[in-house]
Amino acid sequence: MKDILIAPSILSCDFLRLGDEIRDVEEAGADLIHIDVMDGHFVPNITIGPMFVEALRRINKKPLDVHLMIDNPAQYVQEFARAGSDIITIHAEADNHLFRTLDVIKESGAKAGISFNPATPICLLDHVIQIVDLVLIMTVNPGFGGQKYIPSMAEKISEAKKKIDKAGRYIDLEIDGGIKAVNAKEVVEAGGNILVMGTEIFHSGDYRKKIEEVRNKIGR
C-alpha cells in the first residue's frame, strides 16, 4: 500500500512571506511542495517561472513537484529541471509529442508526470503509462485556486488507478483541485495517493492542525 502524501500548493500561500510559508508548511508535515506554473495561454492566469523554482530550491527541503500548466512545455522542461524540480508534470492536452517531452524530462534527471483536465479521456494514459512516474488528475478546471471539487472525478481517479495497477509499475496518482479534509477520504479510496491542497492548508490558520485533520480523516 502506498503512503498518502500531502502536497501543499504554494499558489494559495502568502507570497510576501514565501520563505516562511515554505518552512512553516514543511514543519507542519508536508511531504512535497506543489508549484503551479501558468502561462496565461493554456490557462487564464500567469504565475511563475524557472527562476522562482531555483530560489525555492535553495530554501526548501522537500521534493519540488512542478506542474506545468503551459502551452509548448517541451520548450521549458529542461530549464525547470536545471532549476531544481524533482517532478515535472506536463498536460496531455498541451503537447503534441508526449513521448519525446516525457523522455526529455526523465533524461534531465526529474521524474515525469502527465496531467489530465476533467474532460480529457483517461484512455490517453494507455499510450504513455510505461514512461510516466506520476499521473495527475485535475478535479477542477485548471487556472485558479479555491475552486470546488468535481465529484464525478472519483470515477476517473478509479479508472486511472486500475490502469496503473495493470501496468505493474510504481506510479504515483496525484489529485489536484478542491481537495479538502471533508473529501480527502473519498479521493484516497478512489485510488489517489498524493493530495494537492492549496487554500485548505494555507488559509486554515494552523497548517499542522489542518494536515493532522486530513490524515485523521483518511486514517493514514
Side-chain angles (χ1 to χ4, degrees):
M1 182 180 294
K2 294 178 180 177
D3 291 335
I4 304 302
L5 308 180
I6 294 178
S9 169
I10 64 168
L11 184 65
S12 300
C13 79
D14 181 354
F15 275 74
L16 291 178
R17 52 184 303 273
L18 180 61
D20 291 335
E21 289 276 64
I22 296 298
R23 283 185 283 269
D24 289 348
V25 82
E26 285 182 342
E27 292 175 2
D31 299 297
L32 306 90
I33 302 299
H34 188 82
I35 303 171
D36 290 306
V37 178
M38 307 179 190
D39 63 358
H41 296 282
F42 182 69
V43 292
N45 200 358
I46 299 174
T47 55
I48 59 179
M51 290 179 64
F52 190 96
V53 174
E54 185 176 4
L56 281 181
R57 181 76 283 166
R58 293 197 294 268
I59 63 169
N60 175 67
K61 298 177 182 177
K62 301 292 184 178
L64 294 180
D65 175 25
V66 177
H67 179 190
L68 300 184
M69 289 180 270
I70 63 175
D71 284 333
N72 192 24
Q75 183 177 345
Y76 302 99
V77 291
Q78 288 180 307
E79 198 171 346
F80 276 100
R82 286 193 294 268
S85 306
D86 295 287
I87 306 165
I88 299 176
T89 298
I90 63 174
H91 269 261
E93 307 87 357
D95 197 303
N96 292 324
H97 305 286
L98 284 172
F99 278 99
R100 183 164 62 201
T101 305
L102 291 167
D103 278 339
V104 169
I105 294 172
K106 293 172 79 73
E107 288 168 3
S108 74
K111 292 183 178 180
I114 186 168
S115 182
F116 296 88
N117 283 341
T120 302
I122 197 65
C123 61
L124 295 177
L125 176 59
D126 294 341
H127 304 288
V128 295
I129 199 163
Q130 293 300 326
I131 301 175
V132 297
D133 303 296
L134 179 146
V135 175
L136 171 56
I137 303 295
M138 293 299 303
T139 46
V140 299
N141 291 297
F144 298 96
Q147 298 184 68
K148 290 185 178 180
Y149 171 80
I150 302 172
S152 61
M153 291 297 101
E155 183 178 348
K156 189 173 186 178
I157 297 167
S158 296
E159 190 176 350
K161 179 63 163 58
K162 291 176 183 175
K163 291 180 182 296
I164 289 171
D165 289 344
K166 185 178 180 181
R169 299 178 58 240
Y170 188 98
I171 302 172
D172 285 307
L173 181 52
E174 185 170 45
I175 315 302
D176 184 0
I179 309 302
K180 301 181 179 297
V182 295
N183 60 22
K185 185 175 181 180
E186 173 187 340
V187 169
V188 170
E189 289 179 343
N193 75 290
I194 300 179
L195 307 181
V196 177
M197 295 183 170
T199 57
E200 179 73 347
I201 292 176
F202 284 110
H203 294 187
S204 69
D206 189 327
Y207 304 161
R208 184 179 298 278
K209 183 177 179 180
K210 176 55 67 174
I211 290 174
E212 287 176 353
E213 179 188 358
V214 172
R215 295 203 184 280
N216 287 335
K217 291 283 188 181
I218 62 179
R220 308 260 189 110

